[in-house]
Amino acid sequence: MKTQVAIIGAGPAGLLLGHLLRAEGIDAVVVERQSPDYVLGRIRAGVLERVTTDLMERLGLDARMHAEGIPHDGFNLADGERLIRIDITALTGRQVMVYGQTEVTRDLMDAAPARGLEVIYEAADVALHNVESDAPSISYTRGGAEHRIEARFIAGCDGFHGPSRKAIPERVARAFEKVYPFGWLGILADVPPCNHELIYANHANGFALASMRSETRSRYYIQVPLDEKIEDWPDDRLWDELAVRLGPDAAAHITRGPSIEKSIAPLRSFVFEPMRHGSLFLAGDSAHIVPPTGAKGLNLAASDVVYLSDALIGYFRRNDADGVAGYSGRALARVWKSERFSWQLTSLMHRFPENGPFERRMQVAELDYIANSDAAQTSIAENYVGLPL
Ligand code: APR
Ligand code: PHB
């Protein structure tokens, strides 16, 4: 098979890119290792910046997002008795949209056939070939048969564990990484949220987050040590701990219910440079990971895809290769700013086992500063709502 852009990975990055290219008449095929159900079974964050909602609108795939998503004007930082509300709309004139990443993926997936975007699921052994040439290809096996897709470009949208990043030689690459000494234990339950806005809480027992998917579905997280076992957290223990960490006001409004999903995810900051090598581009989690504090993962994938689709549309429609040459630099400039914000919010709101009383006083002083400074609140708000492209 021949196409113009072979896309590896049918997560949000790969599907958004495929749709944007198809909308411009550019041929693209997406190759995904998992089944559609598996892809939709992954529960991820649920706060969309304008960059992401704008893309869904540009694609005309925003109807369900606008019907079911919840626009938020603010969020809260809790520290002991103190609750600091960050009024993002008053401070920036913008809102964020609470709508699950799973739902974004579902909307993109459902629309693919009608938009002429072919997605090949359950493709095993995906391998990249000749990425330094103008005629790269990918090979894969499916149903016992071997297949090859020849393309002008390959877009590696295959997440942190995919093969694309590894196809860039070490001699030209550099990776930056910070692994945090804890993870997030998340629970999804069909109960009303305890608060109409998100609460990020720093408690002596560790961080907690109260989030939501809808008026009737809640998503909560607590910080746990990396070696914690999910079996040690029956629902009741988790609800008890959330009530302690989120503080008495939120606790009074927590509705308990059986978990419909419960999992532990490690926290990591990671950036890989460059994001293009020859005819291979990286976008989304294949090139960078942020800790979930601030929900930047999907939104960064969306901004990568804005830059990458611009570059590819310029190349194929206007014979202009400048965007291709500039992609990595443009994307990384925004990536590093989101990395900084996610790392800073993680550092501010978590209890680090290696930290002592001095570091704790620094957290308290910073939260105090934020509580009393419009400038500090504006800085947090403009990062949370999303920096300009
Ligand atoms: N071959 C084909 N597909 C692969 C392979 C492979 N060898 N390895 C991984 N994939 C697929 C995964 O199964 C997944 O569906 O690539 C896709 C990558 O999707 P995501 O992990 O969702 O990454 P991305 O699209 O970059 O989205 C970034 O999603 O991971 C979250 O928190 C992250 O919000 C961020 C956003
Ligand atoms: C979520 O709802 O899953 C969520 C929200 C905000 C975050 C992280 C996760 O910062």
Side-chain angles (χ1 to χ4, degrees):
M1 188 198 294
K2 265 198 157 64
T3 191
Q4 288 173 299
V5 183
I7 300 172
I8 309 177
L15 290 174
L16 278 170
L17 178 65
H19 275 290
L20 288 166
L21 296 178
R22 290 303 302 133
E24 294 289 327
I26 298 166
D27 283 337
V29 177
V30 184
V31 178
E32 164 62 49
R33 185 160 64 115
Q34 307 289 355
S35 67
D37 283 349
Y38 185 99
V39 170
L40 289 177
R42 290 190 294 236
I43 310 290
R44 262 103 182 235
V47 181
L48 310 185
E49 294 176 9
R50 268 280 276 284
V51 59
T52 308
T53 57
D54 280 356
L55 274 186
M56 294 302 275
E57 284 168 16
R58 176 171 154 194
L59 290 169
L61 296 176
D62 55 314
R64 200 165 69 94
M65 177 184 81
H66 282 303
E68 297 175 17
I70 315 170
H72 279 210
D73 292 331
F75 67 97
N76 302 278
L77 300 175
D79 185 42
E81 298 293 293
R82 176 162 58 185
L83 195 69
I84 306 167
R85 177 162 189 271
I86 307 294
D87 190 333
I88 45 183
T89 302
L91 294 163
T92 69
R94 290 185 286 157
Q95 295 177 306
V96 291
M97 172 76 84
V98 171
Y99 186 64
Q101 176 172 325
T102 313
E103 306 312 319
V104 173
T105 308
R106 187 192 303 279
D107 294 340
L108 294 167
M109 207 183 244
D110 288 352
R115 305 271 174 114
L117 176 63
E118 185 178 0
V119 186
I120 300 165
Y121 288 96
E122 296 176 332
D125 312 317
V126 172
L128 298 85
H129 309 280
N130 302 324
V131 299
E132 288 176 349
S133 78
D134 288 348
S137 63
I138 63 175
S139 59
Y140 62 95
T141 56
R142 189 164 193 280
E146 282 207 19
H147 302 269
R148 183 175 286 265
I149 301 176
E150 289 169 3
R152 173 62 191 88
F153 293 108
I154 298 176
C157 302
D158 44 1
F160 186 63
H161 300 287
S164 295
R165 190 175 65 249
K166 292 161 202 138
I168 300 185
E170 270 176 34
R171 65 183 155 77
V172 300
R174 186 151 181 213
F176 303 82
E177 184 170 44
K178 176 174 177 63
V179 177
Y180 299 85
F182 42 73
W184 278 17
L185 166 56
I187 178 172
L188 189 68
D190 276 327
V191 293
C194 69
N195 189 51
H196 70 288
E197 291 177 345
L198 274 64
I199 304 173
Y200 295 81
N202 180 329
H203 185 272
N205 290 5
F207 169 81
L209 169 60
S211 180
M212 68 199 72
R213 291 288 175 274
S214 69
E215 312 288 354
T216 56
R217 182 168 282 190
S218 301
R219 181 74 167 154
Y220 290 96
Y221 300 91
I222 58 166
Q223 171 189 348
V224 292
L226 275 175
D227 55 4
E228 204 79 352
K229 300 268 174 300
I230 200 101
E231 305 79 69
D232 294 335
W233 286 94
D235 290 357
D236 278 342
R237 179 177 177 210
L238 188 44
W239 290 118
D240 287 345
E241 188 62 23
L242 280 163
V244 170
R245 294 191 192 185
L246 289 168
D249 285 349
H253 295 98
I254 291 180
T255 310
R256 296 178 178 219
S259 60
I260 50 179
E261 197 266 357
K262 210 192 296 178
S263 55
I264 297 179
L267 270 68
R268 183 197 304 271
S269 296
F270 175 84
V271 181
F272 185 88
E273 297 182 348
M275 286 174 61
R276 179 186 66 90
H277 180 67
S279 298
L280 167 64
F281 299 91
L282 303 180
D285 278 17
S286 68
H288 41 73
I289 297 289
V290 284
T293 332
K296 293 294 170 206
L298 167 61
N299 297 301
L300 264 192
S303 58
D304 288 354
V305 164
V306 169
Y307 301 133
L308 181 50
S309 58
D310 277 359
L312 292 170
I313 291 164
Y315 183 89
F316 287 113
R317 300 292 301 267
R318 298 191 304 277
N319 214 6
D320 172 3
D322 287 356
V324 168
Y327 167 70
S328 180
R330 276 181 89 192
L332 282 166
R334 193 165 190 278
V335 164
W336 276 113
K337 294 189 197 89
S338 283
E339 291 283 347
R340 184 201 70 82
F341 179 66
S342 309
W343 160 79
Q344 193 181 41
L345 197 57
T346 302
S347 307
L348 178 65
M349 300 308 292
H350 289 71
R351 296 298 171 110
F352 288 68
E354 68 268 31
N355 284 354
F358 177 82
E359 286 81 7
R360 175 61 195 145
R361 283 289 195 280
M362 289 295 100
Q363 287 186 338
V364 174
E366 189 170 341
L367 285 159
D368 216 24
Y369 169 55
I370 293 167
N372 294 294
S373 161
D374 281 349
Q377 290 187 15
T378 303
S379 168
I380 292 188
E382 70 177 356
N383 279 279
Y384 194 85
V385 82
L387 294 176
L389 286 178

